[in-house]
Amino acid sequence: MADKGKLVVFSGFSGAGKGTIMKELMKKFGSDYALSISATTRNPRPGEEHGREYFFVTTDEFEDMIQKGALLEYAKYVSNYYGTPRAYVEEQLNAGKNVILEIEIQGALKIKQRFPDTLLMFVCAPSADELKNRLVGRGTESEDVCRQRLSRAYEESLGIENYDYLVVNDEIDKCVELVDDIIKNDGLSNKNDNHRISSNIDFIKEMKNELLSFSKGE
Ligand code: 5GP
């Protein structure tokens, strides 16, 4: 039987470019990974498709999935539910694939508790200013939702220390190569130790302070 695959959680502030990184990672190294598709109650953005970016479901449908134990974890994020369907993840891990969950921090911590070997990665924009510009600039959310997402980013920044690695998304191609390299070398070599959370404490502190100012509306 094939060895079990590795479970990888990929989180990051709204606007950090997680979705783009995941798309490019699958384009380049898709045969090495299975990307879990979450269920959510939020509305699709233009261009998003049911079953590709998310399974878009009603609140009743989502609560039914919770009841039936069909979700590995779930969380509420800025007034919508998001959750990881269990069956696909278990199937792919058993088939020896590395499975990636692109989820927020509460879900990430639940997964780590249940599966302690999970590798937790956090992606940041190069600065909080840049994060704000990207989030507002992509124009997919209202001003009010952007504000809520930035304030959520501050809350999430308080939990970054629970993660294993920090990846700064300044250049997409480099970032994708790095994510792949970290996943494949974790536990085998020290080459990416400079991307460990513990090596980036000052950067994280600065990010937290900037996000705190934004969340106060400064
Ligand atoms: P967005 O609405 O921008 O697509 O996602 C909002 C947040 O929900 C992001 O931080 C994303 O990573 C997170 N998210 C997406 N799917 C899941 C999931 O299945 N579980 C949890 N806990 N968070 C998720």
Side-chain angles (χ1 to χ4, degrees):
M1 202 174 111
D3 278 345
K4 267 202 160 196
K6 198 184 280 182
L7 193 53
V8 179
V9 162
F10 196 67
S11 303
F13 307 129
S14 191
K18 287 178 308 249
T20 314
I21 295 170
M22 287 299 106
K23 259 185 203 147
E24 291 302 311
L25 184 79
M26 295 310 285
K27 242 193 242 167
K28 264 193 171 153
F29 306 104
S31 57
D32 300 335
Y33 299 109
L35 181 60
S36 160
I37 300 171
S38 298
T40 182
T41 57
R42 89 147 158 72
N43 290 325
R45 295 180 184 135
E48 286 184 335
E49 269 178 34
H50 181 78
R52 192 179 65 192
E53 279 79 12
Y54 283 105
F55 296 107
F56 295 99
V57 299
T58 62
T59 302
D60 280 352
E61 286 167 334
F62 197 99
E63 286 172 350
D64 196 43
M65 292 170 92
I66 299 175
Q67 287 287 314
K68 291 188 169 134
L71 300 173
L72 216 45
E73 63 71 38
Y74 67 93
K76 236 181 184 171
Y77 178 93
V78 188
S79 48
N80 281 299
Y81 277 129
Y82 294 80
T84 305
R86 171 197 302 277
Y88 177 80
V89 174
E90 290 181 347
E91 246 167 53
Q92 297 294 315
L93 284 176
N94 286 333
K97 286 255 182 177
N98 296 322
V99 178
I100 304 186
L101 312 182
E102 197 238 280
I103 62 179
E104 53 67 70
I105 194 160
Q106 300 168 49
L109 299 183
K110 283 185 214 156
I111 291 284
K112 182 78 178 180
Q113 230 172 23
R114 283 184 70 169
F115 309 95
D117 290 341
T118 304
L119 176 65
L120 300 186
M121 302 180 80
F122 202 92
V123 62
C124 270
S127 68
D129 260 337
E130 175 70 20
L131 181 78
K132 188 178 177 184
N133 290 342
R134 286 185 195 174
L135 178 59
V136 174
R138 78 182 180 193
T140 51
E141 266 83 22
S142 66
E143 206 177 303
D144 192 40
V145 170
C146 283
R147 209 174 24 76
Q148 290 178 49
R149 282 179 175 242
L150 280 170
S151 139
R152 177 63 180 247
Y154 171 65
E155 288 165 24
E156 291 198 329
S157 74
L158 301 176
I160 296 186
E161 274 91 351
N162 293 296
Y163 281 69
D164 299 302
Y165 289 94
L166 178 83
V167 175
V168 176
N169 180 18
D170 41 10
E171 206 188 299
I172 182 76
D173 287 345
K174 270 209 258 170
C175 190
V176 169
E177 300 270 342
L178 178 63
V179 167
D180 176 67
D181 201 60
I182 289 176
I183 297 173
K184 289 177 181 163
N185 283 293
D186 179 60
L188 301 176
S189 105
N190 299 331
K191 66 186 284 212
N192 292 311
D193 276 3
N194 56 329
H195 295 287
R196 285 197 175 271
I197 293 293
S198 49
S199 309
N200 290 280
I201 297 298
D202 289 344
F203 175 85
I204 292 168
K205 214 188 264 173
E206 201 171 310
M207 184 65 97
K208 271 185 200 166
N209 287 339
E210 287 176 331
L211 287 170
L212 179 61
S213 317
F214 288 159
S215 69
K216 287 182 185 159
E218 288 166 11

